[in-house]
Each structure stands twice: as C-alpha cells, then as structure tokens.
C-alpha cells in the first residue's frame, strides 16, 4: 500500500532547469517547540491538500529525527542532500515524485548539519537548490523540534513559520521558548499557530489563546491562529498504511480540518511578503551565519 515514489523522468528534469525564473514559491517552515506534536503529519497532509487545489508542492524533509517523511510515506531514498554535497548526486537525483502529485526532497539520516558546512559546501548546496527556482508554488519545510541550529536556520530563512502545538502544557511552554528565541535572537515577528490533537468538541483556540497571552505580555510578536486539527485515530491508521490520512480518509475530522487550514493558506496568498521565494530561502539559509 505504501508510497509509490518515482524518480524524476527526463522530461521533468529538463523542465526543472527551464522553469528557473517565474513567480517565486511560497516557503513555509512547519516547526514546533516540542517533538512528536504532529509536524510531519501537518506538512504531508497540508502538502497534499494544496496539491489537490492545483498547486505544485515540494516537501523538504529537514528533520534529522526518526519520524521522517520517507518513513511516514514508506520509501527508501536513493540519494539525499548529503550526496549532493559529495557530488555523488545531482538535485534532480534527490527529488522524488509521490504518486499523489507532490515532490519530496527526502532526508533520512542524510540531511547535512548546516552549521558544520564549509563555505564551499554551502555554495554547492545553494547552487544545487537554486536550480529548483520557480518550479513550485509551495515549498513546505518539515523541520525538527526545538531551538537547535538547523531549526533556527530553516525558520529564519522561510517566508512564513507555522508552529504546531498540541494541548499539553509542555508543548505550549516549548512553543513559547521557540518563539522567544526566534524573535529575540533572530528578529522573526510573525508566526501562525496550528493547534493539533484537539479533543472532540474542543477547540484549538484555547491553546492558541494561552500561548498568545504569554507572547503578548512578554514578546513583541504577532501570532495568528491558523486552525486546529482534531485528535483522530485515522492519523495513526494512516501511519500504518504509510499514506497521508487525507488520502485514505478524506472525510475524517482531521482531513476536514487540514483542508480548512489549506483553504486559509490559499486565501492569504495575496498578502505575501515580496521578498519570499525559494531562491531567497536557500540563500538566506546558507549565508546568514
Ligand atoms: N491529529 C492527530 N490525531 C491523532 N494522533 C496524532 C495526530 N497528530 C499526530 N498524531 C500522533 O503523533 C505522532 C507524531 O506525529 P508526527 O507528525 O510524526 O510529529 P512530529 O513530526 O512533530 O514529530 C503520530 O505518529 C501520530 O501517532
Ligand atoms: Mg516529524
């Protein structure tokens, strides 16, 4: 049942190079303070929801943790960005295409620790990723949790940051700590909050309200409520099947919720920051430190 993943064929590879200069992709980092709150599910299913709305989506698996996108979708990456750095693979070798219509840059254990890259490796990675140019409308970056250096790099380079919190108090305090570091140390001012695993009849607005109250009081940031995703057994069933829950159970509560979030994301397309785009993201990612 799991992921039917194919490498890009010749025509796609050629198109990838040709499409370098058009509208820049919207780059969204999906992150959290605490691990295991639902970042990867959110990234994959939001990616699918946007694909279903006709958008060209690239998922970048930027988490070094265990619950990688490739594991969730049941495939073994043939190459990762690590091989791009060692010149054993090109970026076109690394990108895979899922049968549901979106593309993935997988991670596995092959995602490089950005803080350890040499100048030459950074330049190589920027050049390789720059080639992707404007082939996509959205790039969703599934980051790790917490305030490690890779997470900070991805969040500061992205155009928008979606912070996933669940209803546990530790998730909220860790989200607060993450937001505090991003704003105080890196000048990030805007965050969108997704409340995950809300109980039946519950509403993520309570979780959001508590987080927003703390941020309002102590930090100079703007927190937007993007929506909630219900706690839903379909989510773990989808993990077993290694397919997105939105595909397997399109009318389950979590799927309706993520579709609603995707709609809100699409509605805000007109309010984008003009300095966005993938080129900007990769340059900022590798040059800012
Ligand atoms: N909305 C949800 N309903 C039920 N279980 C969920 C939900 N979201 C996440 N989970 C559970 O939490 C686990 C961790 O989710 P995951 O997306 O891998 O988190 P992260 O990427 O933040 O580490 C999943 O395997 C799933 O079992
Ligand atoms: Mg994850």
């Amino acid at each position: 049942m799991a992921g039917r993943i194919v490498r890009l064929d010749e025509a796609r590879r050629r198109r990838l190079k040709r499409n370098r200069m058009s509208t820049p992709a919207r780059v969204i980092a999906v992150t959290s303070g605490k691990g295991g709150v639902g970042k990867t599910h959110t990234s994959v299913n939001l990616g699918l929801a946007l694909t279903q709305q006709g958008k060209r989506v690239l998922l970048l698996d930027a988490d070094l943790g265990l619950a990688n996108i490739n594991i969730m979708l049941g495939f073994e990456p043939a190459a990762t960005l690590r091989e791009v750095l060692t010149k054993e693979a090109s970026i076109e070798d690394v990108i895979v295409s899922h049968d549901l219509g979106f593309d993935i840059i997988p991670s596995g254990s092959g995602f490089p620790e950005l803080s350890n890259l040499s100048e030459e490796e950074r330049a190589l990675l920027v050049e390789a990723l720059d080639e992707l140019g404007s082939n996509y409308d959205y790039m969703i970056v599934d980051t790790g949790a917490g305030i490690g250096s890779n997470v900070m790099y991805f969040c500061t380079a992205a155009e928008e940051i979606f912070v996933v919190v669940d209803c546990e108090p530790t998730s909220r305090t860790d989200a607060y700590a993450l937001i505090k570091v991003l704003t105080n140390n890196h000048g990030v001012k805007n965050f969108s909050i997704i409340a995950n695993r809300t109980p039946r009849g519950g509403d993520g607005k309570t979780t959001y309200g508590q987080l927003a109250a703390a941020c309002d009081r102590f930090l100079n940031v703007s927190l937007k409520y993007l929506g909630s995703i219900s706690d839903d057994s379909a989510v773990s069933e989808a993990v077993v099947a290694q397919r997105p829950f939105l595909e397997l159970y399109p009318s389950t509560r979590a799927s309706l919720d993520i579709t609603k979030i995707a709609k809100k994301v699409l509605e805000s397309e007109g309010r984008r920051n003009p300095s966005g785009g993938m080129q900007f993201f990769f340059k900022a990612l590798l040059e800012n430190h």
Side-chain angles (χ1 to χ4, degrees):
M1 180 86 186
R4 291 181 291 273
I5 294 285
V6 290
R7 291 175 65 183
L8 301 186
D9 60 26
E10 270 312 311
R12 283 289 315 279
R13 283 166 183 253
R14 275 199 302 274
R15 228 178 307 140
L16 213 59
K17 290 199 190 258
R18 218 174 36 229
N19 275 350
R20 288 183 72 155
M21 305 304 290
S22 50
T23 322
R26 189 170 168 187
V27 180
I28 298 170
V30 177
T31 194
S32 68
K34 182 170 162 283
V37 298
K39 290 179 297 296
T40 303
H41 278 292
T42 303
S43 303
V44 168
N45 288 277
L46 177 61
L48 175 58
L50 293 169
T51 305
Q52 290 174 344
Q53 295 302 315
K55 299 294 175 186
R56 299 165 304 165
V57 175
L58 176 66
L59 292 177
L60 172 62
D61 187 346
D63 191 359
L64 299 161
L66 287 176
N68 296 117
I69 289 178
N70 54 297
I71 294 169
M72 198 171 273
L73 295 176
F75 69 96
E76 184 71 41
T80 69
L81 292 180
R82 176 77 62 204
E83 283 74 47
V84 174
L85 288 177
T86 55
K87 300 186 182 166
E88 290 163 78
S90 68
I91 193 71
E92 292 90 353
D93 295 326
V94 172
I95 295 180
V96 290
S97 182
H98 194 280
D99 58 10
L100 288 168
F102 50 82
D103 290 351
I104 304 163
I105 297 183
S107 156
S109 53
F111 205 97
E113 186 65 55
L114 298 173
S115 50
N116 294 338
L117 296 183
S118 67
E119 279 302 312
E120 195 195 338
E121 286 173 321
R122 278 165 205 256
L124 197 70
L125 210 51
V126 167
E127 197 185 314
L129 294 164
D130 220 25
E131 258 190 39
L132 302 177
S134 310
N135 285 274
Y136 298 96
D137 301 306
Y138 281 84
M139 181 166 78
I140 300 177
V141 185
D142 179 18
T143 80
I147 53 171
S149 60
N150 262 5
V151 178
M152 289 298 122
Y153 291 167
F154 288 118
C155 287
T156 48
E159 192 176 326
E160 289 164 75
I161 303 175
F162 291 180
V163 181
V164 182
V165 282
D166 64 19
C167 304
E168 311 229 329
T170 48
S171 158
R172 227 168 33 239
T173 49
D174 291 356
Y176 176 81
L178 170 81
I179 291 169
K180 185 176 169 187
V181 173
L182 277 167
T183 187
N184 287 352
N185 301 2
H186 301 277
V188 181
K189 295 285 177 218
N190 296 300
F191 300 86
S192 295
I193 306 298
I194 297 177
N196 189 25
R197 309 199 70 164
T198 48
R200 189 181 274 277
D203 186 331
K205 280 207 176 123
T206 313
T207 303
Y208 164 76
Q210 286 159 334
L211 185 57
C215 289
D216 274 351
R217 202 156 155 221
F218 303 110
L219 308 173
N220 177 25
V221 289
S222 156
L223 237 56
K224 200 169 75 190
Y225 179 63
L226 199 57
S228 64
I229 306 170
S230 305
D231 190 64
D232 190 331
S233 58
V235 176
S236 32
E237 284 165 36
V239 174
V240 177
Q242 297 184 305
R243 305 286 299 183
F245 60 78
L246 178 60
E247 178 207 8
L248 291 183
Y249 311 101
S251 50
T252 196
R253 281 174 299 133
S255 294
L256 302 178
D257 295 336
I258 200 85
T259 305
K260 216 159 127 188
I261 290 173
K263 216 172 136 207
K264 227 163 153 180
V265 171
L266 290 169
E267 281 166 4
S268 63
E269 265 182 4
R271 298 192 289 276
R272 282 184 65 188
N273 178 345
S275 68
M278 236 189 287
Q279 279 94 341
F280 173 83
F281 172 76
F282 290 123
K283 290 220 167 65
L285 182 63
L286 293 152
E287 286 170 5
N288 274 356
H289 3 78

